[in-house]
Amino acid sequence: MACALASAVCYGTASVLQAVAARAAEPGTGSGVDPALLLRALRQWRYAAGLALDGIGFCLQVIALRSLPLYAVSAALAASLAVTAVVAARLLSVRLNATERGAVVTVCAGLAMIALASGPEGSRPGPPALPWLLLGAAGVILLTGALAGRLPGTARALLLGLGAGAGFGVVEISVRLIDSLAVPALFTDPALYALLLGGAAGFLLLTSAFQRGSVTVATAGMVLTETVGPALAGIAWLGDQPRDGLQWLAITGFTAAVVGALILTRFGEPPVGDGESPG
């Protein structure tokens, strides 16, 4: 659980840096998916620093995913919004009101309940077709992002956020499905390519959402799909279960962590005027 929480700290801090940088990047074509946007955003030092934190967070996330149920890791990653709120309050002089302070406490309490209720990682391998389904899902997510460019602002941001969360959810499930890191078996495993495509789709759609619409709306959509989807997949297909008699505590904790995170989604939004010119 320590690795999952450390990963949330990295992701939460990175989101503040990346949101500011994405808003400062040069506008592109207006498409929902703009691959060149990542290159333009990388010209902002904040985005590069955030990307480095994402890399560290991902390594910690992989360790957590190999030893904890998916619902526990998903809830811990949702707590990155609480980290984002605290970092924004400290670095960007954003004040937390009473509701938001309560949401931070709610997220922390939810994670504590999950930690108490979590059983061991499920041992089922999942359906044989699941890696291929995840690979196909990642492709659909990219297509959805491309179509999102035709929608009005709020709907576009929400769809891009939902797509980004789904892409990151594909990554979480794929990590669990990779049986061996030995070569050449690793490179013949469709779960590896689902992981790579899902991660690329998630980053691309989320960066586009940060630039092209309400970051609050996009982050809310991302939190929903990134937490609920993998949690359900882990329980339905991979054998993840809470400890006997503590199912109610796991459900309560998961719900509290997600609801608290949704209340805090506005902290993905950079303050007006805090951007910097490209270059």
Side-chain angles (χ1 to χ4, degrees):
M1 196 66 172
C3 287
L5 294 176
S7 177
V9 170
C10 291
Y11 287 144
T13 305
S15 69
V16 176
L17 299 173
Q18 289 170 333
V20 174
R23 287 294 181 89
E26 298 172 0
T29 62
S31 170
V33 174
D34 181 4
L37 175 59
L38 286 175
L39 298 178
R40 295 194 300 273
L42 280 171
R43 295 169 60 188
Q44 311 291 326
W45 71 266
R46 290 186 181 93
Y47 194 89
L51 201 60
L53 284 173
D54 280 333
I56 297 171
F58 178 71
C59 293
L60 293 167
Q61 179 185 354
V62 168
I63 295 172
L65 285 168
R66 303 295 286 187
S67 58
L68 290 174
L70 276 171
Y71 65 82
V73 178
S74 296
L77 295 182
S80 65
L81 270 296
V83 176
T84 298
V86 174
V87 172
R90 300 283 286 182
L91 298 184
L92 303 179
S93 300
V94 178
R95 291 190 175 183
L96 293 169
N97 61 33
T99 299
E100 290 149 356
R101 287 195 297 270
V104 172
V105 173
T106 299
V107 170
C108 294
L111 291 175
M113 286 186 274
I114 289 172
L116 290 172
S118 292
E121 176 192 26
S123 57
R124 294 209 304 263
L130 184 56
W132 294 103
L133 290 175
L134 291 173
L135 185 58
V140 171
I141 290 165
L142 276 175
L143 177 61
T144 301
L147 296 176
R150 303 178 182 180
L151 297 175
T154 300
R156 178 171 57 192
L158 178 59
L159 190 57
L160 287 171
L162 290 169
F168 294 137
V170 167
V171 170
E172 291 181 39
I173 302 169
S174 298
V175 167
R176 282 281 299 275
L177 295 179
I178 294 176
D179 289 328
S180 172
L181 299 179
V183 178
L186 176 63
F187 293 104
T188 60
D189 191 339
L192 172 66
Y193 300 100
L195 184 156
L196 295 174
L197 186 57
F203 269 113
L204 185 55
L205 268 64
L206 187 60
T207 303
S208 297
F210 280 170
Q211 186 186 57
R212 303 177 191 284
S214 168
V215 176
T216 300
V217 171
T219 306
M222 181 190 70
V223 168
L224 284 173
T225 48
E226 186 182 15
T227 54
V228 176
L232 293 176
I235 292 171
W237 294 322
L238 304 179
D240 291 345
Q241 295 294 330
R243 294 180 184 176
D244 289 341
L246 292 180
Q247 289 86 350
W248 66 271
L249 187 62
I251 293 171
T252 302
F254 184 86
T255 303
V258 173
V259 170
L262 291 175
I263 294 172
L264 293 167
T265 51
R266 80 175 184 91
F267 284 93
E269 196 84 52
V272 176
D274 193 57
E276 63 183 44
S277 60

